[in-house]
Amino acid sequence: MSMVAASISNTRAWVPYCGPGADPASLLTDWNLDPPLLLALAAAAVWIGMKFVRTRHGGAAAGAWLVLFALFVTPLCAMSAALFSVRVANHIALVAAAAPLLAAAMGQVRAIERGAGFATIAIGAHVAVFWLWHGPAPYAFALSYDAGYWLMQLSLLVTAIGFWRCVGARCDRPVARASILTGFVAQMGFLGALIAFAPEPLYIPHFATTAPWELSPLADQQLAGLLMWVPGMVPYLAVLVVVVRRWFVRLNAESPA
């Protein structure tokens, strides 16, 4: 633990966008009322109401808005500043809940998104961004500056939308869809395992914020890895099960009696 203490003493005061970090006593009052964020969410709500209220994509758009509101306005934002495990949970919700809902709200996939080249670039970009922001140094940068924080969040969200658009573009290619989902599950599980089994804490911004939650930085990090390793894969596996099931139904329907 001496290495942790030394790192804390040599680190500047970490004040991420969501604040210095919630503790159990102040949790219910730690709402993020940042005016530009609230204005952006209000504008998005009006736009969704005007564009989607009478369409079949209205539910997906409204659901995505609710997820984003929960992640960035409610005390979940302040908790993610205190605990790396909550940050990972927030990222999972961002890429596996908000992003597919937004992808669904966009409706029909464009012809260019059906190409193998676009799919390779979009999926590769999302995997690269996902690994980048869970690296200790880029993560510390994101929690040091508001611009870095929003760069992290927006790059995760935008590339995740591209990922889910590619999955949707291959509705008539179940093998391709299954391969994309299986590959992403595998790499997410591997990253989660690396985080969970690291022998020492890696994420400096949380070295001094986990104690009020009765967690050591290492225990918080291990919990984060487990969340990514197991629950984080559930949405992708659920979609994979649906894809495989529909594939078998289709094969049975096409097979001669």
Side-chain angles (χ1 to χ4, degrees):
M1 200 63 180
S2 58
M3 182 178 296
V4 174
S7 298
I8 293 174
S9 64
N10 294 328
T11 302
R12 72 180 189 84
W14 300 96
V15 183
Y17 168 77
C18 293
D23 59 60
S26 65
L27 179 61
L28 295 180
T29 60
D30 279 330
W31 289 68
N32 180 21
L33 302 179
D34 181 29
L37 173 66
L38 296 180
L39 181 61
L41 288 172
V46 172
W47 181 72
I48 289 171
M50 295 175 60
K51 183 176 178 62
F52 295 103
V53 69
R54 295 183 179 179
T55 71
R56 62 190 179 92
H57 304 303
W65 188 93
L66 289 173
V67 173
L68 295 175
F69 179 87
L71 295 181
F72 298 120
V73 177
T74 74
L76 287 174
C77 187
M79 284 187 70
S80 68
L83 298 173
F84 181 58
S85 53
V86 178
R87 174 75 63 191
V88 166
N90 281 14
H91 285 175
I92 292 171
L94 188 68
V95 303
L101 287 170
L102 287 171
M106 291 178 180
Q108 187 174 3
V109 175
R110 295 175 300 173
I112 190 174
E113 293 174 323
R114 296 181 179 276
F118 178 88
T120 300
I121 294 172
I123 295 165
H126 183 47
V127 171
V129 166
F130 196 84
W131 277 73
L132 171 69
W133 291 118
H134 292 96
Y139 182 79
F141 167 78
L143 264 66
S144 303
Y145 308 97
D146 288 356
Y149 173 84
W150 285 113
L151 178 62
M152 175 175 69
Q153 301 297 337
L154 292 175
S155 60
L156 284 170
L157 180 61
V158 170
T159 58
I161 292 172
F163 171 88
W164 288 107
R165 294 277 287 179
C166 288
V167 172
R170 278 146 179 74
C171 292
D172 57 341
R173 301 177 183 178
V175 174
R177 295 180 79 195
S179 298
I180 292 171
L181 291 164
T182 301
F184 194 83
V185 164
Q187 65 84 32
M188 178 181 276
F190 182 56
L191 177 57
L194 289 178
I195 293 172
F197 292 111
E200 59 186 29
L202 303 172
Y203 299 91
I204 297 174
H206 298 290
F207 282 2
T209 60
T210 63
W213 297 92
E214 298 184 356
L215 287 171
S216 68
L218 182 58
D220 177 43
Q221 180 176 297
Q222 291 169 338
L223 178 58
L226 289 175
L227 286 173
M228 188 182 296
W229 192 9
V230 185
M233 297 189 294
V234 170
Y236 301 89
L237 291 175
V239 176
L240 178 60
V241 168
V242 172
V243 169
V244 172
R245 181 179 179 277
R246 289 180 178 176
W247 184 20
F248 279 108
V249 169
R250 178 178 170 183
L251 289 177
N252 289 333
E254 294 176 351
S255 63

